[in-house]
Amino acid sequence: MAYKVALVSGAAAGIGAACAKRLAQDGAAVGVLDLDEARCADTVAAIKAAGGSAIALGADVSKRDQAFAAVEKLRDALGPVTILVNNAGVTDFTPFEEITDELWDFVYAINVRGPMILAQAVFPDMKAAHWGRIINISSSSAQTGAINMITYSSSKGAVVTMTRSMAQEFGPLGITVNNIPPGSVMNTIMSEANRDRFQIPTEVLLQTVPVRRLGEPEDIANACAWLASEASSYVTGQTIGVNGGRVVT
Ligand SMILES: NC(=O)c1ccc[n+]([C@@H]2O[C@H](COP(=O)([O-])OP(=O)(O)OC[C@H]3O[C@@H](n4cnc5c(N)ncnc54)[C@H](O)[C@@H]3O)[C@@H](O)[C@H]2O)c1
């Protein structure tokens, strides 16, 4: 791709790290954002070792001042930001009767308000360029619903709907907006914690996945790279399931 600057949230680990590395491989300069700047070091080092360009950014995506300051830092260092991957997220398995207002607000602040704030922070750059790509990472639980995941799955459902509305509003400005709802993606902090918690044998999980393998962060990164490229310019407002066929809509 021609020189472009991408911002990937939650990029210290897991899916976000894979997306950041893949976009850098495709030629983007990348802002690697996570809660703590120091935790971004591995992703930044991997990108630089492969000959790419990246900087670490520490910010809580739910905090407007921190998110805008991080985008400002990225813009100053590498240039206007025209690719945004809203990947940072938190999961939750609280049964319905135990959900508190505090828990609900915490999850929604990160999973829903965070992507909206980051989109607002990069929007002027995309508008000025008359070109932009926003890729929101949702969840297959938003498509299917899930037991003990009312808070999380509904927050990701909001991400799907936000994608559709942003796509309609931003389309005339040359900005596409799509979401990827991952299925079960292994080798991330979130999925390892879930695996420890539920102890579901891999053979059982595999029975729910037609291609008979679990997802890797790179599977999501591949779709992300395509959505960030010119090749996807006629695709907007869509939900691109990357789940081995586990959810078919
Ligand atoms: N792994 C899966 O199976 C799976 C399935 C469906 C959806 N997802 C979604 O994919 C995304 C990435 O998941 P993952 O499995 O790589 O998770 P992960 O926990 O490995 O990585 C998430 C990253 O986001 C960061 N983060 C959390 N809150 C943040 C905040 N407020 N501000 C900035 N950064 C923050 C974390 O520090 C972490 O580095 C999440 O949005 C998740 O909901 C994952």
Side-chain angles (χ1 to χ4, degrees):
M1 64 167 80
Y3 181 83
K4 294 219 160 54
V5 178
L7 172 61
V8 184
S9 71
I15 293 170
C19 290
K21 289 180 209 167
R22 178 55 205 272
L23 290 175
Q25 201 180 308
D26 287 358
V30 184
V32 175
L33 183 150
D34 212 289
L35 273 175
D36 176 1
E37 192 174 315
R39 286 191 55 235
C40 299
D42 286 353
T43 308
V44 170
I47 290 173
K48 288 187 173 168
S53 177
I55 63 164
L57 302 164
D60 179 338
V61 297
S62 70
K63 304 271 174 9
R64 178 170 289 272
D65 53 341
Q66 293 183 25
F68 270 69
V71 169
E72 194 62 39
K73 185 176 165 190
L74 175 57
R75 192 181 284 130
D76 287 350
L78 300 174
V81 186
T82 54
I83 299 170
L84 169 64
V85 183
N86 271 317
N87 165 79
V90 286
T91 194
D92 177 66
F93 297 96
T94 305
F96 174 63
E97 290 176 296
E98 294 167 26
I99 296 170
T100 62
D101 292 348
E102 290 70 28
L103 171 73
W104 187 269
D105 290 348
F106 172 74
V107 172
Y108 268 68
I110 296 169
N111 291 1
V112 187
R113 194 170 73 213
M116 195 278 297
I117 288 175
L118 280 183
Q120 283 186 330
V122 300
F123 192 67
D125 292 352
M126 295 185 177
K127 222 162 79 165
H130 203 79
W131 192 96
R133 296 282 187 269
I134 299 176
I135 299 135
N136 296 321
I137 307 299
S138 55
S139 166
S140 61
S141 67
Q143 300 171 292
T144 60
I147 292 167
N148 289 342
M149 296 187 88
I150 290 171
T151 310
Y152 175 78
S153 65
S154 65
S155 76
K156 291 297 192 175
V159 172
V160 174
T161 312
M162 178 162 57
T163 300
R164 293 175 179 152
S165 296
M166 282 181 172
Q168 293 182 45
E169 196 165 327
F170 303 171
L173 305 172
I175 303 165
T176 66
V177 192
N178 292 285
N179 81 93
I180 303 172
S184 295
V185 177
M186 297 299 105
N187 299 314
T188 76
I189 301 170
M190 193 181 279
S191 59
E192 294 307 318
N194 295 350
R195 191 204 286 257
D196 291 348
R197 181 187 177 107
F198 298 111
Q199 305 274 322
I200 303 172
T202 302
E203 317 79 76
V204 174
L205 266 181
L206 284 178
Q207 286 309 308
T208 67
V209 184
V211 304
R212 294 291 186 266
R213 73 171 176 85
L214 298 174
E216 293 293 333
E218 290 71 24
D219 292 312
I220 310 303
N222 287 337
C224 180
W226 178 69
L227 287 173
S229 75
E230 285 303 330
S232 68
S233 62
Y234 205 54
V235 178
T236 195
Q238 303 304 310
T239 298
I240 310 294
V242 180
N243 53 40
R246 187 169 147 225
V247 180
V248 182
T249 56

